[in-house]
Amino acid sequence: MFLYRVRLFSLFGFAVSVDASWLVLAALVSWSLAAAVFPALHPGFTQATYWAMGIAATLGLFSSIVFHETAHSVVARRYGIPIRGITLFIFGGVAEMEEEPSSARGELLMAAAGPAASLVLGAALLAAASATAPPPAAAVLGYLGFINWVLALFNLVPAFPLDGGRMLRAALWLWRGDLLQATRIAATCGRGFGLLLVVFGLFRVLNGDVVGGAWSFLIGMFLRAAAIESYRHTLAGRLLAGVTVGQIMTPDPVAVPADIPVARFVDEYVYRHHHHWFPVVRDGALLGTVGTREIATVDRANWARVPLAGLLKPIAADMLASPNTEAMEALRRLRRGGQERLLVLQDNELVGVLALRDVLGALAVREELVPP
Ligand SMILES: [Zn+2]
C-alpha cells in the first residue's frame, strides 16, 4: 500500500509517518487551493497571499487527518488493540492495526472516535473563523472547518472499511453475534459504494472534469479492493482459528551443512531445489542462512575453496516461528517481512519451514469445506 515512508514524530506514543504519495496529494491540494479555490471564494487578495493561504490550509489538512487518526488510535489502545502507527498516504490517513478488534463494542467505539473528533474539530474551526479578524486567516479556518465536516461525513458512509462501514459491522456483530457474516454484509456495502464512486468518476471525466473524476475513480477502486481484502482477512482469521504452524508446515526441510564449499552448495542445493536461500545447520542447530545473493559476492574461480560457513547471514527474529505459533500470526510475519518462508524451530533445532504457499493451501482446503 505504501511506496516510501518517512517517520515524522510521535504523538501520544503513536509514530506518525508520511508516505511519499501523500506529498503528491499535498502539492495537488496546495496548488488547487492557491490557483482556483481561494481566488474564486475570496477575490481581491494578491497571488502571494493565495499561496500562503493554500500552504497553510494544506498543513491544516495534514493536522486534521492526524487528529482524526489519533482519535481512532487512542480508543483502540484503550481496548487493547495494538496500533503500529499512523501513516498518511495518497487517499488520506490510516491508523495501522496489528490485529482485528476482539469485541464489537471496542470496534464500534474505535470506529466512531475518528468522525466524532473531526465533527468537533470542524465546529471549533468554524467558530474560530467567525471570530477571527484578518480575512485571509478567517478564510483558511473556515475552509478547514468545512473540510473536517466533509472528512467526518465521507467516513460515516456505511461502506467497510470506511469508519461508517466498521460501525455497521460492529452493530451487526453485536446484534447477530457472527463476525464473519457481519463483515460480509459491511464489505458488500463497501464494494457497492466503491463501484458507485468509480461510475461517478467516469461520468465526471466524460463531462470534462478530468482531475476530480479521476480522483473519484481511484478512490472507488481503492475502496473496492480494500473491502475485498478486509473480508478475505477476516475469513482467513475464522478458517485458521486454532490452527498452528506445526500442523501446516513442511517438515524435514532441506538444510545445508555449514562445512561444505560453495561449489558443492551450488551444485547440490541451489541447482537442484531452486530456492533463493537455504537454512544452514551444524549438528542440527540452525546457524544462519545463505543464498544466491551471498554466493554472487564470491569470485567463481574460488567456489571450490571457499567454505560456506564464512558467508552466513544472521536470522532476523521475524523469520522464525515455533510449531506452536498460531497460523494467523505466521501469516502476518510472512506478509510483514516480505520473505518467502519462515523457519520453524523447536529447541533451537530446525524442524520445518512454512511458505506463504503452505498457508494459502491450508486456507483453500478449509474454505472448500465450508457449506455454501
Ligand atoms: Zn477514520
Side-chain angles (χ1 to χ4, degrees):
M1 186 154 86
F2 305 123
L3 300 171
Y4 180 73
R5 239 186 319 184
V6 182
R7 198 184 145 152
L8 295 182
F9 51 84
S10 176
L11 193 66
F12 297 112
F14 303 111
V16 177
S17 313
V18 295
D19 182 59
S21 65
W22 198 84
L23 300 177
V24 177
L25 176 72
L28 219 65
V29 169
S30 305
W31 170 71
S32 81
L33 288 175
V37 176
F38 284 135
L41 289 175
H42 308 279
F45 300 134
T46 63
Q47 198 52 50
T49 308
Y50 288 130
W51 271 106
M53 290 165 74
I55 290 167
T58 305
L59 290 173
L61 174 67
F62 172 86
S63 311
S64 300
I65 298 173
V66 170
F67 186 70
H68 177 109
E69 299 304 333
T70 305
H72 284 309
S73 305
V74 167
V75 177
R77 184 162 58 192
R78 168 88 181 64
Y79 279 88
I81 304 158
I83 297 283
R84 243 191 297 164
I86 295 169
T87 300
L88 275 76
F89 71 122
I90 194 152
F91 297 124
V94 57
E96 292 170 83
M97 277 185 285
E98 291 256 323
E99 300 166 10
E100 293 276 304
S102 56
S103 80
R105 201 182 129 76
E107 163 137 288
L108 189 62
L109 292 176
M110 189 192 81
S118 295
L119 283 174
V120 171
L121 181 61
L125 286 164
L126 288 173
S130 60
T132 304
V140 170
L141 288 172
Y143 171 79
L144 285 173
F146 167 74
I147 280 295
N148 270 281
W149 280 8
V150 170
L151 197 65
L153 293 180
F154 179 77
N155 274 294
L156 281 173
V157 174
F160 191 80
L162 292 181
D163 298 334
R166 289 193 168 274
M167 290 162 73
L168 172 65
R169 172 169 88 155
L172 290 168
W173 183 13
L174 264 177
W175 179 35
R176 307 292 290 270
D178 185 343
L179 173 64
L180 192 61
Q181 188 202 44
T183 308
R184 186 160 52 224
I185 295 170
T188 304
C189 295
R191 286 168 58 183
F193 182 60
L195 184 63
L196 208 67
L197 287 176
V198 166
V199 173
F200 178 62
L202 287 174
F203 183 75
R204 278 170 78 181
V205 168
L206 290 176
N207 273 290
D209 180 8
V210 177
V211 175
W215 202 242
S216 288
F217 180 88
L218 288 175
I219 291 180
M221 294 291 280
F222 173 73
L223 196 61
R224 270 180 75 74
I228 293 166
E229 169 61 27
S230 303
Y231 174 66
R232 291 212 58 83
H233 185 82
T234 308
L235 180 64
R238 165 67 65 92
L239 295 172
L240 291 179
V243 177
T244 60
V245 166
Q247 292 170 289
I248 59 173
M249 69 183 188
T250 305
D252 307 317
V254 178
V256 183
D259 301 308
I260 61 171
V262 168
R264 219 181 117 195
F265 168 66
V266 172
D267 283 342
E268 296 180 15
Y269 292 88
V270 179
Y271 288 164
R272 186 180 299 173
H273 300 285
H274 314 132
H275 293 315
H276 297 286
W277 57 266
F278 292 80
V280 178
V281 295
R282 185 181 279 144
D283 303 326
L286 183 65
L287 297 183
T289 65
V290 71
T292 46
R293 206 174 286 171
E294 286 76 46
I295 300 305
T297 62
V298 180
D299 188 347
R300 198 174 273 259
N302 297 328
W303 279 9
R305 283 187 288 109
V306 173
L308 206 57
L311 299 170
L312 293 190
K313 215 176 114 184
I315 299 169
D318 241 20
M319 284 177 70
L320 296 174
S322 95
N324 300 324
T325 305
E326 283 178 28
M328 271 309 276
E329 170 57 26
L331 180 60
R332 265 195 289 279
R333 281 182 211 173
L334 279 166
R335 289 223 166 112
R336 191 164 52 208
Q339 60 245 358
E340 48 188 28
R341 286 168 291 161
L342 294 181
L343 300 173
V344 186
L345 287 188
Q346 190 165 34
D347 304 323
N348 205 33
E349 196 178 315
L350 185 69
V351 292
V353 292
L354 183 77
L356 189 57
R357 207 181 39 239
D358 298 324
V359 185
L360 297 180
L363 267 174
V365 290
R366 281 166 177 78
E367 196 173 348
E368 283 166 17
L369 294 177
V370 174

